Amino acid sequence: MSSKPEQKETHQANGAVLPIVPVDCLASQDRGQLVEPSDFLGPDGDGVEVVVLESRANAKGVREEDALLENGSQSNESDDTSTDRGPEPASPLKETSFSIGLQVLFPFLLAGFGTVAAGMVLDIVQHWDVFKYVTEVFILVPALLGLKGNLEMTLASRLSTAANIGQMDTPKELWRMITGNMALIQVQATVVGFLASIAAVVFGWIPDGHFSIDHAVLLCASSVATAFIASLVLGMIMIGVIIGSRKMGINPDNVATPIAASLGDLITLALLSGISWGLYKELESKAYVNPLVCAFFIALLPIWIIIAKKNTATREVLYSGWEPVIIAMAISSVGGLILDRTVSDPNFAGMAVFTPVINGVGGNLVAVQASRISTYLHMSGMPGESPETAPRKCPSPCSTFFSSDVNSRSARVLFLLVVPGHLVFLYTISSMQGGHTTLTLIFIVFYMTAALLQVLILLYIADWMVHWMWGRDLDPDNFSIPYLTALGDLIGTGLLALSFHILWLIGDRDSDVGD
């Protein structure tokens, strides 16, 4: 092999075959296009100029900013050139703890105030006739509020990843992602709303042994209509938030999922309350209205299925994305059963205002973490491909919260937001005289303990679940967040109910629980 390669010899970089030519052979106008030359010494000491004229995007759409100019040793005995190495993936989340906290703080507070408003609404509507005489509506509350985790947060995470890896840069790609995903969440919302109503009927019928066909149809109509309208409104908001955050240079993973929840709880609960109240009023005079509402929204299903099926970005999720959504709905419904049994007891009536808050805060924080980890993994390859991202069978708490990597740093930041955030939200509730509960020191201690334990468990589970799903060739954007937010609803409602029960047992009369 000569010390100066022929011009016909080529160098392959990132899937593009590029010529290796001496710089002297290039015209002056071509030299300005060079990325950066590297001098390599052949066996005779002569320099060889290796130049790369262009750099293409890799399979994930992440563009390489720096050309890879690697070469190995050359010898007279062998004509083999060096083996080119693939480009090292740049760290997608080069953020400090301060920058993470700053970007997450304001959406987190906005989401928290949204859950406070939802709690105040639930505290008021729990005294309406439809909630008194059709108590199964309480079972629908966590299941439908959980739609922000099952659908809207999953949509936000999926679109945030697509935006970060360059799949929404052109108007054509953007329109394709919007139409496909909006049709997909309408399909999922309608089906999940219908199944949630069935779960509410079953969970309400088993303990009481009483079944009413009118109430069952009412629950079905209220659930399907609420799920459809809420998902339509919130989906459009999510798309606007992600596009706006990209234009402002903000990581969508830090802001999209909290904003999805900020209005999600309030809009969903307000729709559920208003729709169920209106349909309940029609039971006596116009009983046919409830089945017509059910039939109308279910009849729209084929249209959304056709649109989502034709879109390559959502076709796979349309077929394979049902398991996490349905299981998450079932988990949230169990939390709703706990809420139904607790709020129905006059001693725990004050719990209604705090349930959306503790569940919303926990779900928001773990959704941010899951979305960030998923984006980090997508930057390094496809699900199940990279050995560096192999699933952790049992991560230790130290690796989850105290290691030096960016995901551990974000877990610490999110966990530290729990106490100051909840203090602000509790003060807001107290100022608005909601919850029928005086905020004594012992109540705050029990409440904060439940909130910290909930978020600690959720962040730890997220670290394991996202990596485990990635190793199983599953996209965490589509599968992890529904499970995590549903677990947040169940754990948060259970711990809060336990706290209220303990306070009642020890006789914390000063807190006026259930006053």
Side-chain angles (χ1 to χ4, degrees):
M1 177 177 178
S2 61
S3 60
K4 294 193 176 214
E6 299 286 341
Q7 181 172 346
K8 64 180 181 180
E9 292 186 28
T10 59
H11 176 76
Q12 183 171 352
N14 199 21
V17 179
L18 307 173
I20 301 178
V21 296
V23 171
D24 295 340
C25 298
L26 296 177
S28 59
Q29 62 269 23
D30 293 331
R31 297 183 188 180
Q33 302 177 5
L34 302 183
V35 177
E36 185 179 352
S38 297
D39 293 333
F40 292 89
L41 295 180
D44 299 330
D46 295 327
V48 177
E49 297 287 354
V50 181
V51 295
V52 179
L53 297 179
E54 63 175 325
S55 176
R56 298 184 184 273
N58 60 18
K60 290 296 293 178
V62 182
R63 300 201 175 273
E64 300 171 7
E65 299 296 337
D66 299 320
L68 240 151
L69 305 174
E70 294 184 2
N71 202 356
S73 60
Q74 302 177 7
S75 63
N76 291 327
E77 291 80 17
S78 175
D79 290 333
D80 295 336
T81 58
S82 63
T83 302
D84 294 325
R85 298 179 182 177
E88 293 291 336
S91 176
L93 300 173
K94 294 181 178 179
E95 299 167 293
T96 64
S97 298
F98 178 77
S99 65
I100 295 173
L102 188 62
Q103 291 188 23
V104 173
L105 178 62
F106 295 104
F108 167 72
L109 292 176
L110 179 62
F113 287 123
T115 60
V116 169
M120 299 297 295
V121 170
L122 184 59
D123 189 44
I124 295 172
V125 302
Q126 66 175 326
H127 304 294
W128 290 7
D129 288 345
V130 64
F131 283 86
K132 286 183 178 180
Y133 301 112
V134 190
T135 59
E136 293 86 356
V137 178
F138 281 113
I139 301 178
L140 287 177
V141 171
L144 293 182
L145 296 189
L147 279 177
K148 72 178 185 300
N150 298 342
L151 302 182
E152 275 70 40
M153 283 189 176
T154 302
L155 171 67
S157 178
R158 189 161 57 238
L159 292 182
S160 295
T161 297
N164 277 326
I165 64 179
Q167 292 182 354
M168 295 174 61
D169 291 343
T170 65
K172 183 178 179 180
E173 291 176 331
L174 179 62
W175 179 250
R176 179 176 60 87
M177 294 294 294
I178 290 175
T179 55
N181 280 280
M182 287 298 294
L184 174 65
I185 65 171
Q186 295 312 312
V187 175
Q188 292 178 323
T190 304
V191 174
V192 170
F194 180 74
L195 295 178
S197 65
I198 295 178
V201 171
V202 172
F203 287 153
W205 168 60
I206 291 177
D208 297 336
H210 175 72
F211 176 78
S212 171
I213 185 65
D214 291 337
H215 289 180
V217 177
L218 168 66
L219 290 171
C220 179
S222 302
S223 181
V224 171
T226 299
F228 183 93
I229 298 173
S231 294
L232 179 64
V233 174
L234 294 172
M236 296 175 64
I237 294 175
M238 278 304 89
I239 292 171
V241 167
I242 291 173
I243 295 175
S245 63
R246 287 291 291 172
K247 290 184 178 180
M248 296 175 63
I250 298 174
N251 185 355
D253 285 313
N254 292 337
V255 299
T257 49
I259 292 179
S262 64
L263 298 176
D265 285 349
L266 180 59
I267 291 176
T268 304
L269 187 55
L271 285 171
L272 176 62
S273 303
I275 292 173
S276 61
W277 177 80
L279 293 176
Y280 181 75
K281 291 295 184 182
E282 300 295 333
L283 274 180
E284 296 181 0
S285 59
K286 300 176 182 178
Y288 60 87
V289 172
N290 287 314
L292 279 181
V293 172
C294 287
F296 172 75
F297 287 105
I298 294 176
L300 293 176
L301 267 178
I303 300 175
W304 310 125
I305 291 175
I306 291 172
I307 297 175
K309 188 176 180 181
K310 287 184 177 180
N311 195 303
T312 57
T314 56
R315 185 183 302 127
E316 180 182 354
V317 183
L318 181 64
Y319 291 131
S320 62
W322 292 103
E323 179 184 344
V325 173
I326 294 175
I327 294 178
M329 179 273 301
I331 295 173
S332 295
S333 296
V334 176
L337 180 61
I338 297 174
L339 177 65
D340 180 27
R341 294 301 164 187
T342 306
V343 175
S344 300
D345 188 338
N347 292 317
F348 306 121
M351 178 178 162
V353 72
F354 300 105
T355 302
V357 178
I358 192 171
N359 291 349
V361 170
N364 297 344
L365 293 178
V366 75
V368 170
Q369 180 71 352
S371 181
R372 290 176 58 88
I373 298 176
S374 179
T375 297
Y376 183 85
L377 295 176
H378 274 94
M379 285 291 191
S380 64
M382 298 295 290
E385 284 185 358
S386 179
E388 292 83 6
T389 56
R392 306 185 207 177
K393 293 184 178 179
C394 186
S396 67
C398 290
S399 63
T400 301
F401 295 99
F402 301 107
S403 65
S404 59
D405 64 81
V406 67
N407 293 322
S408 179
R409 187 183 306 128
S410 62
R412 293 193 296 269
V413 172
L414 295 174
F415 183 74
L416 291 175
L417 288 175
V418 174
V419 172
H422 272 296
L423 286 176
V424 172
F425 305 144
L426 289 178
Y427 177 76
T428 304
I429 293 174
S430 177
S431 299
M432 300 176 69
Q433 297 180 350
H436 312 284
T437 302
T438 304
L439 298 184
T440 62
L441 178 60
I442 188 171
F443 174 82
I444 295 176
V445 169
F446 272 89
Y447 181 88
M448 286 300 175
T449 301
L452 287 170
L453 187 58
Q454 176 208 31
V455 174
L456 187 71
I457 295 172
L458 289 176
L459 292 176
Y460 179 77
I461 293 176
D463 187 31
W464 164 79
M465 182 177 289
V466 173
H467 287 90
W468 180 82
M469 288 180 173
W470 184 268
R472 293 287 298 272
D473 200 19
L474 300 174
D475 189 345
D477 281 326
N478 298 327
F479 290 90
S480 64
I481 292 181
Y483 289 120
L484 292 170
T485 53
L487 287 172
D489 291 341
L490 178 59
I491 295 172
T493 305
L495 290 175
L496 188 61
L498 179 62
S499 299
F500 268 78
H501 188 67
I502 293 175
L503 286 172
W504 179 74
L505 287 178
I506 64 178
D508 182 27
R509 304 305 179 187
D510 292 334
S511 62
D512 297 329
V513 175
D515 185 16

